[in-house]
Amino acid sequence: MEPDHQYEPYKIIEYGGTGEIEEKKSRFIAHVAAAGTEEEALAFIEAKKKQFWDARHNCYAFVLGERGQTMRFSDDGEPAGTAGKPILEVLSGSGIRNAVVVVTRYFGGTLLGTGGLVRAYTKAAQAGLEASDVRTMCYGYAVKIVTDYNGIGKIQYLLGQRGIQVEEADYTEQVTIRIHLSFEEKNAVVREITEVTAGKAEIDISEPIYYKRE
């Protein structure tokens, strides 16, 4: 069975960054953060407004949900469509979910015009995302494998060949390891592990979940 399109991978912010650009002496400072709920996003926005209370504008956008079900933006006094929407387009277009971007503008004395504002807020949002640590969330399974000491070397070699990371290992009378497998690779990997251990490995597979791929 193939996953539904709604379970495609998406990206998250591991650590938010800060990016800054200057346009005709106006400073545009982008701050990025992870936000799991609308309350978290709004709290981050309010914190930045307090931090940069002396700025002319604190425009923002956020995207919540694995499929980007909730999107909000604000121009915060800039001409309609010149700030919040460009920030949102950068954020949603990046594939990043559960994130908020606030772009603070310190006015430099020169009007930029609508096109100039769109470009500036777009570039600032891009700079903020580029400065952030972004990870990918994949749809798949948490898998626990229990094997003997003869089998573990073969399993580790197989996983290494596929670039699959062992996230936890417990060496007692037997060896227990935990890994994550994507929806697409699960059947092949389980079959290969069964083959190399002659069916001796116990393989416990979770219900489908989203997991973070390093």
Side-chain angles (χ1 to χ4, degrees):
M1 188 179 80
E2 290 300 312
D4 189 281
H5 71 278
Q6 67 177 328
Y7 296 119
E8 293 174 354
Y10 65 95
K11 298 173 185 176
I12 61 167
I13 298 294
E14 184 81 350
Y15 300 107
T18 300
E20 181 175 343
I21 68 159
E22 187 173 309
E23 199 74 36
K24 294 182 179 177
K25 298 187 179 178
S26 277
R27 292 173 62 207
F28 295 83
I29 310 164
H31 297 272
V32 181
T37 64
E38 195 160 345
E39 289 74 20
E40 287 179 9
L42 293 172
F44 179 76
I45 292 161
E46 286 306 311
K48 291 305 165 189
K49 285 184 175 182
K50 287 180 182 177
Q51 181 180 353
F52 299 101
W53 58 270
D54 57 338
R56 179 71 68 91
H57 305 281
N58 286 286
C59 308
Y60 67 81
F62 57 84
V63 177
L64 305 177
E66 294 158 359
R67 299 182 299 282
Q69 300 97 312
T70 302
M71 298 184 183
R72 302 278 187 276
F73 66 87
S74 170
D75 296 309
D76 192 36
E78 292 281 32
T82 63
K85 192 173 182 183
I87 299 168
L88 178 63
E89 288 176 350
V90 170
L91 185 54
S92 60
S94 70
I96 296 171
R97 305 290 180 257
N98 296 326
V100 54
V101 179
V102 179
V103 178
T104 299
R105 181 191 182 189
Y106 283 95
F107 185 56
T110 302
L111 296 174
L112 302 183
T114 55
L117 286 171
V118 169
R119 285 190 296 273
Y121 279 102
T122 297
K123 284 163 57 179
Q126 290 168 339
L129 293 183
E130 286 168 7
S132 301
D133 186 1
V134 178
R135 303 296 170 90
T136 299
M137 297 294 287
C138 295
Y139 188 66
Y141 305 89
V143 181
K144 182 176 80 171
I145 303 164
V146 181
T147 186
D148 57 26
Y149 281 83
N150 291 327
I152 188 60
K154 297 172 183 176
I155 293 172
Q156 286 175 323
Y157 177 79
L158 187 159
L159 297 177
Q161 290 290 98
R162 285 182 166 270
I164 298 169
Q165 182 179 357
V166 176
E167 293 161 25
E168 189 180 323
D170 184 20
Y171 292 83
T172 53
E173 290 183 6
Q174 290 186 299
V175 183
T176 301
I177 62 173
R178 287 177 170 80
I179 62 174
H180 281 101
L181 295 177
S182 70
F183 202 101
E184 293 77 15
E185 68 192 347
K186 186 258 293 183
N187 289 341
V189 172
V190 168
R191 184 176 64 249
E192 290 170 10
I193 290 173
T194 302
E195 288 173 357
V196 299
T197 61
K200 293 180 181 177
E202 297 175 23
I203 304 172
D204 183 31
I205 302 170
S206 73
E207 292 295 313
I209 57 168
Y210 270 107
Y211 66 94
K212 184 166 59 180
R213 173 152 281 182
E214 300 297 329

